[in-house]
Amino acid sequence: MKKIFSYLTFTLIIFFILSDLNTGYAFAQDLNNMEITADKAITIDIQTNEIIYAKNADEKAQPASTTKLMTAALLSLNKNSSDMLSITNTALNQPSSSIYKDYSLNLSSGDLISADNVMKGLLLHSGNDMATIIAEAISGNVDNFANLMNEKAIELNMHNTHFSTPSGLDTEEALNGKEHYTTAYDLSLLGQYAFSNPWVLNAASTTTANLDINDENSITLTNGNKNLNKNGCLAGKTGFTTKAGRCLVALYERNGRQILGVILGSTSDDYFNDMEKIIDYSYEVKPSILYKNGETVDTEDLEFKLFKFFGPKITYNIPFILKEDVYQYFNDINALESKISLNADVNLWNLSKDSVIGTLTIQERNATKTFNIYTNITTKDLIKKNIVIYLICLSIILFIFLFVIIKIIRKKSTKKHNISV
């Protein structure tokens, strides 16, 4: 199997090299013709976990308020929507975006607000005050909550992420010299996790929401995601700081297929368009065909015993054939990390054209695709190829049988003759 593995790996490498050279592959042309302003981006097929598009997706960056998806997820895990949370001085002192400051609300430390209103204020208006309320309600203070965020990040396999604030602010005052970073890939994991929660998804998919905090404070919030409810956008979370640039995590669904996109480091003029571009591309692009239906991916020399458990051994070259296309999306992550392997367990005495004799597996970062391997050689074919040998063996057996019979008959005849005398 080492020979097979080397062959397949070599083919995969050549495939991607040719793609990079833009030698006529449709997928390479589509990719080269699409330009986005964002420094980093990724799209993921929600159902299969396949990475469709990637641009610098593993480079660390500040995520701004897309951080609040983690804060929202932890709120959903630790509180019920009807729970009442206390407004604190720390929350009231947070810079804009802030529900308290931006809407000039008459609130004081110790006032109560429902967790559901906090969730909406967090995700629609991106309230830094709401993020702080959540952190202090769950963990007592921001630092302890940051530890909880990082524990959850590890659980989600966000290995290139470190959170220091519940809001994503990148000011020195907010960070106090601590690091706050993630990657487009890690954010895609967080986005999938957060939007899988109905409470988070409902808030992030709401266009406008009325918040009746108390008798004196009633406001209407508008979702900052301008792509919402357009071209299949189900939900999303925006973000912006000077250091992070414009950021967006968004979930789309078209014709029953969900794709999640992440944009980091874009500009105010382009980040919604950047998201539309990578999402349109991801729905339109077809995975590249590595091997076609009916193609022989490799062969192997196997020994065939003429009488199954004994007899002379004859070596046959058995082809490994596909009955479906083997495919993969072209992107930098797949090109660098994908591993392709073939495993076969062939019983030459139980072969038919419908027999599955092995599997070809493509292992991607967060997805595994397996394709069955067949052959066009059957056990009957092997027997037919050796029919002359079988006939010779049968003739020898018959000859021996007849020889023994004749010998027995002669022996009996000799005995009778002796008795008669």
Side-chain angles (χ1 to χ4, degrees), residues 15 25-34 43-45 50-54 254 257 259 276-289 327-331 334:
F15 167 81
Y25 288 94
F27 61 88
Q29 292 173 348
D30 289 343
L31 187 61
N32 292 336
N33 288 337
M34 185 185 68
T43 60
I44 305 283
D45 186 303
E50 292 172 285
I51 297 171
I52 304 173
Y53 170 80
R254 298 179 188 174
R257 183 188 182 199
I259 292 176
E276 287 286 294
K277 285 180 180 179
I278 65 173
I279 291 295
D280 286 345
Y281 168 83
S282 298
Y283 276 108
E284 291 170 7
V285 71
K286 302 297 181 185
S288 306
I289 305 301
Y327 59 88
Q328 185 178 47
Y329 287 103
F330 172 78
N331 55 66
N334 282 344

Side-chain angles (χ1 to χ4, degrees), residues 123-126 195 201 203-208 221-230 232-239 247-252 261 271-273 275-276:
L123 296 182
L124 273 74
H125 189 68
S126 200
F195 292 141
L201 179 63
S205 62
T206 300
T207 306
T208 60
L221 300 179
T222 301
N223 198 315
N225 177 17
K226 293 181 181 179
N227 287 353
L228 188 62
N229 297 324
K230 297 176 182 177
C233 185
L234 297 179
K237 182 68 194 79
T238 59
C247 308
L248 179 60
V249 179
L251 177 65
Y252 282 73
Y271 76 121
F272 289 115
N273 289 333
M275 179 62 73
E276 287 286 294

Side-chain angles (χ1 to χ4, degrees), residues 11 16 27 108 130 210 217 240 280 287 298 320 385:
T11 304
F16 283 119
F27 61 88
S108 301
M130 300 295 105
N210 295 319
N217 298 283
F240 170 73
D280 286 345
D298 204 76
F320 296 157
K385 285 184 179 181

Side-chain angles (χ1 to χ4, degrees), residues 147-166:
N147 292 334
L148 189 63
M149 297 171 77
N150 290 319
E151 288 173 8
K152 194 64 181 179
I154 292 172
E155 183 183 320
L156 296 176
N157 294 318
M158 298 170 65
H159 299 302
N160 292 306
T161 295
H162 185 269
F163 294 118
S164 293
T165 75

